[in-house]
Amino acid sequence: MADVMDVMDVTVDRGARVDTSEVKHEIVTAIRMLESAGLVDMNGHLSYRIPGTDRVLINSRRASRASLTVDDVVTMDLDGNLVDGEDEPPSEKHIHTSVYRARDDVHSVLHNHPHWQTVLGIAGLDMQPVFSIGSFVEEGTPVYETSSLVNTREIGDELAAVLGRSTVASLRYHGSVVVESEIQALFARAVYVEENAKKQYYASLLGPVTPLRGENLERTRTTNWQPSIARKVWDYYEQKARLDGRLPD
């Protein structure tokens, strides 16, 4: 019998209603777009915690990220136990559950293996805010030094502690973790933290990198990172993926 959350809205503590079928569709759309953009490959996972509950929706371990469907999204609790679904959660589910237990403000988490962020980590270069829409990147973005799979609660809790109150953490030699309050903003942040890392890498080939700082940085962040821009990023990539045949009807 299907979990009740898969067949009806969930009423959360604040009185709002969450349509879990719509959330699953949004997870599938986000992962397919991330795969199309080269930000997710055979691995990588994106989750959403239903506000006011201990339930988390996440793409399953074995499902292809290129052809993911809503049937491949499973439900787990904050201990990583499977609640509903045909497959098990990813082995690195502890990234998600540990962050959710530590951060009440976070409702969406992505773990992926982005090329340019990983390159900077291998070179020992800290990420810096170097262009307009990537200005949300913190100078001195948290770095987690353990490069193994985050496949235990202990390692997940260590990573969550390193992330702290930040929105991005780098896993040196491994990948990245991005967190947000909702999926569309998470997608936009994942796209542009990677673009920022790419620009930083190329700039470093030409000489010392001069990041955005001070009042200019704060104004750039204010004018370039807001909900309307996150939505614009989502709409652009969604239309692009549809034209490329990467999204199902």
Side-chain angles (χ1 to χ4, degrees):
M1 181 176 180
D3 187 275
V4 68
M5 291 196 304
D6 290 332
V7 295
M8 65 175 62
D9 290 351
V10 173
T11 302
V12 300
D13 290 346
R14 293 188 298 275
R17 298 189 72 83
V18 176
D19 184 343
T20 54
S21 64
E22 182 61 29
V23 174
K24 288 182 177 183
H25 182 270
E26 201 165 37
I27 289 173
V28 170
T29 301
I31 290 177
R32 284 201 178 204
M33 291 193 300
L34 289 166
E35 193 278 333
S36 178
L39 293 174
V40 162
D41 51 19
M42 64 179 181
N43 295 310
H45 21 90
L46 187 154
S47 69
Y48 179 82
R49 176 178 59 179
I50 299 173
T53 77
D54 67 348
R55 295 295 189 258
V56 176
L57 302 173
I58 189 169
N59 59 293
S60 64
R61 182 175 186 176
R62 296 181 181 86
S64 169
R65 278 62 171 168
S67 59
L68 195 73
T69 72
V70 292
D71 292 333
D72 299 316
V73 179
V74 300
T75 306
M76 65 180 180
D77 62 23
L78 289 181
D79 291 319
N81 299 311
L82 181 67
V83 173
D84 183 70
E86 298 301 320
D87 191 9
E88 60 186 338
S91 64
E92 292 186 297
K93 61 190 177 184
H94 299 283
I95 294 174
H96 305 260
T97 55
S98 291
V99 170
Y100 290 137
R101 287 194 303 269
R103 296 275 299 270
D104 290 339
D105 60 314
V106 170
H107 290 284
S108 193
V109 174
L110 169 70
H111 170 53
N112 62 338
H113 308 114
H115 177 78
W116 298 106
Q117 293 168 68
T118 306
V119 167
L120 292 182
I122 293 169
L125 299 176
D126 291 337
M127 288 196 289
Q128 298 175 304
V130 296
F131 92 115
S132 57
I133 198 170
S135 58
F136 64 83
V137 172
E138 299 172 349
E139 189 166 3
T141 294
V143 178
Y144 185 56
E145 297 291 348
T146 300
S147 60
S148 67
L149 289 176
V150 185
N151 58 2
T152 70
R153 180 170 181 147
E154 179 184 12
I155 300 175
D157 288 347
E158 287 178 356
L159 172 56
V162 169
L163 173 69
R165 306 306 297 179
S166 299
T167 56
V168 180
S170 175
L171 284 63
R172 200 182 302 280
Y173 314 112
H174 181 165
S176 176
V177 171
V178 184
V179 305
E180 255 292 355
S181 60
E182 52 93 15
I183 294 171
Q184 293 187 12
L186 178 81
F187 175 84
R189 197 176 289 276
V191 168
Y192 282 101
V193 68
E194 177 69 348
E195 183 64 24
N196 188 85
K198 179 180 178 181
K199 284 178 166 55
Q200 181 182 338
Y201 169 79
Y202 279 121
S204 71
L205 300 181
L206 303 175
V209 173
T210 304
L212 289 157
R213 288 197 175 112
E215 183 179 347
N216 185 38
L217 171 60
E218 294 308 314
R219 175 166 173 75
T220 303
R221 282 176 173 168
T222 300
T223 57
N224 282 278
W225 190 255
Q226 46 190 297
S228 61
I229 291 178
R231 177 70 197 192
K232 187 175 182 180
V233 173
W234 176 275
D235 288 345
Y236 168 75
Y237 277 89
E238 183 177 18
Q239 291 303 315
K240 188 173 184 295
R242 290 196 184 282
L243 288 172
D244 291 343
R246 298 296 189 105
L247 292 178
D249 293 337

